[in-house]
Amino acid sequence: MAKSTRDTPNTSVGASLTLAVLHAASRLGVERSALMQACALHDSQLSDPDARVPFTTQEQLWDQLSRIECDEPGLALGRNLAPGPFSVLGYLLQSSPTLGDALAAGLRYQRLVGEGGEVHLHEHGDELHLLYRPLHPELPATRTRVLALMACWVQMFHPLLDTWQLLRAQFAHPQPHTLDSYHATFACPLQFAAEDYGIVLPRSLTNAALIQANPPLQHLLRQHAEALLARLPRAGLSARVVALLGEQLTRGEPDRSQLARQLNLSERTLQRRLADEGSHYQQLLNDTRQQLAEHHLSSSDLPAAEIALLLGYSEPSVFFRAFRQWTGLTPGEYRAQRKVQ
């Protein structure tokens, strides 16, 4: 299996995810109060959907759930997980214009749901691989947790796409004796003892329109998601800077001195610590602007001049020059190319 993401003392998950898991367990007949007591969970920790729960507590919850007497508890739980309660991210994904936009948002904001692993997206020829690399892959409860996530992916995206299709589903664990629940959940060829957990889709689905697309709502949700992301602690300073830049760009030209103050650093210390990580402020700003520019050009009909303002450029011509440097295309050429793919 590929190397898993790194754990830290601050690793956490959203209270909204914890609530959703508890609701799913209740639907399977598991007593909520007994679960919470076994994991030392309290209602006060779950009163705010945007609050955080330590990942160690979440792992204790999955350990309890892995003992449910049914064929593959993770799949049973995943089929009962409702995506809506996953706070802002669930609604953001469902309101995206296309599956590709939803997946891009999922990658950027995955930490809002939880930090128990990392989602990766790779293109291989005509295939699109959506992979998940969990923390602590060696723990028995991790299998239950990851299977629930994969089943939830299917439960969420299938109703949003008229052309939904799975080419195969792959699992890092060995093939179990009974496959009925796998066939019922994924309805596609299965691969076990794979390098990663994940599902494989036709690459053509990237541009498939979602039936609940709502660009104005998605824009508001994205602003909220950026603000929440910026509040999360992170071991890597570069990732923290990117999150803060995303939040600042929704309000205009980023201010490096203000960003440094938000991190309780001087500008000089900020630059030095970024250099220690092999990055620098201007490159992080350029990368963030490029990602957001490509998103706006692909998923909206906003004029390029308005996109320039959304990215904090005072003059559209500066944005046009920067975009050509990033992609080798003008914004208009990039948008036209995306429409014919």
Side-chain angles (χ1 to χ4, degrees), residues 52-242:
R52 307 296 289 183
V53 174
F55 178 63
T56 52
T57 301
Q58 186 83 355
E59 279 197 309
Q60 293 175 40
L61 175 60
W62 285 113
D63 181 64
Q64 294 293 320
L65 293 173
S66 65
R67 304 172 194 178
I68 295 176
E69 293 185 6
C70 68
D71 177 25
E72 210 64 80
L75 296 181
L77 288 160
R79 289 194 297 268
N80 283 279
L81 274 174
F86 288 3
S87 191
V88 64
L89 182 57
Y91 296 115
L92 180 59
L93 298 183
Q94 293 175 81
S95 63
S96 296
T98 68
L99 178 63
D101 292 307
L103 294 176
L107 291 178
R108 178 166 179 79
Y109 304 114
Q110 59 183 289
R111 291 184 64 225
L112 297 183
V113 173
E115 299 171 307
E118 290 182 349
V119 179
H120 296 265
L121 190 65
H122 301 291
E123 295 180 351
H124 294 277
D126 294 332
E127 296 181 344
L128 191 65
H129 294 216
L130 183 61
L131 307 177
Y132 185 71
R133 293 170 183 162
L135 279 176
H136 310 152
E138 72 286 353
L139 296 181
T142 299
R143 169 170 164 170
T144 303
R145 177 167 64 87
V146 177
L147 287 178
L149 173 65
M150 293 176 64
C152 185
W153 287 348
V154 175
Q155 292 290 108
M156 177 167 54
F157 286 120
H158 191 181
L160 299 178
L161 280 169
D162 292 330
T163 55
W164 172 262
Q165 180 187 2
L166 270 184
L167 297 179
R168 66 181 176 277
Q170 59 186 56
F171 313 92
H173 57 263
Q175 179 172 322
H177 297 299
T178 304
L179 296 178
D180 291 348
S181 58
Y182 288 85
H183 290 307
T185 302
F186 300 102
C188 68
L190 309 171
Q191 178 188 358
F192 293 91
E195 184 177 1
D196 286 301
Y197 286 98
I199 57 176
V200 180
L201 310 165
R203 185 179 174 187
S204 58
L205 285 184
T206 302
N207 296 316
L210 301 188
I211 62 175
Q212 291 182 201
N214 188 332
L217 175 61
Q218 192 207 34
H219 178 68
L220 292 174
L221 292 170
R222 187 177 285 273
Q223 288 182 311
H224 183 48
E226 289 291 350
L228 292 175
L229 191 64
R231 291 190 343 218
L232 293 181
R234 184 82 174 203
L237 180 63
S238 298
R240 178 79 165 138
V241 168
V242 167

Side-chain angles (χ1 to χ4, degrees), residues 287-304:
D287 290 346
T288 303
R289 278 175 158 161
Q290 179 181 352
Q291 181 185 41
L292 293 175
E294 291 177 354
H295 165 75
H296 288 308
L297 290 167
S298 301
S299 62
S300 76
D301 294 322
L302 288 173

